Structures are given as structure tokens and as C-alpha cells.
Amino acid sequence: MLLHLLKSKLHMAAVTETELHYHGSVTIDRELMDAVGLLPYEKVLIANCENGQRAESYVIEGPPGSKVIKMNGALAHTSSIGDRVIIIAFVSVTEEESRKHDPRVAILNEQNEIIDQFIGEVYPQRDSQTQPLS
């Protein structure tokens, strides 16, 4: 049996471009890809925080340092420039592998700069005052 777990997450990325007349995909700055371990052509789920739309696509590598998050093809219908999105990749692992699995997460600001990042925790505990939601 395989379990599907979070692998990579770019949280609150800002859409910088849209291009309807393109064959599809999402273009992501190579440095942002590397920060969370995304690979070219990897399948991703994109959730738009502005309008609630979700779509699946695959990653195209953008120029390093460009901060680009570009919705191509049909994805261009799901987002407008400036929309904040969550880009998520999952991995299939065995139960044994799941015990050693650590997702990689980066939180971005409006300029697609990483303001926080962590491995192994979706919501890291920053201090003893932090409590999980019940």
C-alpha cells in the first residue's frame, strides 16, 4: 500500500504572469523550485487563495532569481496577476518510508521572496506558547 504525502509546498506565492496562448503548465523560478525540491515536469496542485479554484498541472523551470510564478494555458483562466496561490506536490511512499519522510515548505511574501522555510513540519512550533488547532 502506498500513502500520498506532502512533498513540496510554496505557500502564498504571488502570480506574476499569465499566458493563455501557451500549451499549459506553471512556470516557477528555479531558485524557488530548489528551495522546496520541485522538479521540472513534476505534477503539482495549485490552489488559488483569492478565488478558491484548484487546478493540477506540471512545473516548467523559470529563470533563477526571476521570482516568476506564471500560469500558462488553461491555468491562466484560474488566476490573475497578484493572486496568491499555494503550489503543492505530493509523493507516494510506503508506510515504512513515511516514517522518515520530511516535506519541504517555503512561505513567500508578495514579491515571491522566501520569508520562512522549514523541512519536516507543515506548521513548525516556534515556541512553547504555540498550540495546534483543535
Side-chain angles (χ1 to χ4, degrees):
M1 173 175 65
L2 292 177
L3 304 170
H4 305 286
L5 303 180
L6 175 66
K7 175 188 169 264
S8 307
K9 178 177 169 183
L10 290 172
H11 189 75
M12 298 303 285
V15 174
T16 59
E17 301 175 54
T18 62
E19 186 173 340
L20 180 59
H21 301 292
Y22 191 82
H23 54 80
S25 70
V26 56
T27 304
I28 301 174
D29 176 327
R30 180 64 204 216
E31 290 178 0
L32 295 176
M33 291 172 58
D34 290 344
V36 296
L38 285 171
L39 301 172
Y41 310 111
E42 186 168 5
K43 180 180 177 179
V44 290
L45 172 67
I46 303 164
N48 188 314
C49 297
E50 309 299 325
N51 61 30
Q53 291 192 49
R54 296 166 71 96
E56 289 182 342
S57 192
Y58 63 94
V59 175
I60 289 183
E61 179 180 332
S66 65
K67 307 300 184 203
V68 66
I69 301 291
K70 180 180 176 185
M71 301 299 164
N72 299 304
L75 280 180
H77 287 293
T78 69
S79 300
S80 297
I81 293 173
D83 282 1
R84 302 299 291 274
V85 296
I86 302 169
I87 301 172
I88 307 162
F90 297 94
V91 65
S92 298
V93 297
T94 65
E95 187 173 348
E96 182 177 328
E97 291 170 324
S98 74
R99 294 186 193 103
K100 297 177 277 187
H101 174 71
D102 290 319
R104 295 171 65 180
V105 177
I107 312 296
L108 307 179
N109 66 12
E110 296 84 3
Q111 291 77 42
N112 289 332
E113 299 165 329
I114 297 173
I115 57 172
D116 199 5
Q117 99 183 83
F118 38 91
I119 298 173
E121 300 178 84
V122 178
Y123 298 102
Q125 302 297 312
R126 295 290 183 207
D127 57 48
S128 61
Q129 302 294 333
T130 306
Q131 298 294 319
L133 297 174
S134 48

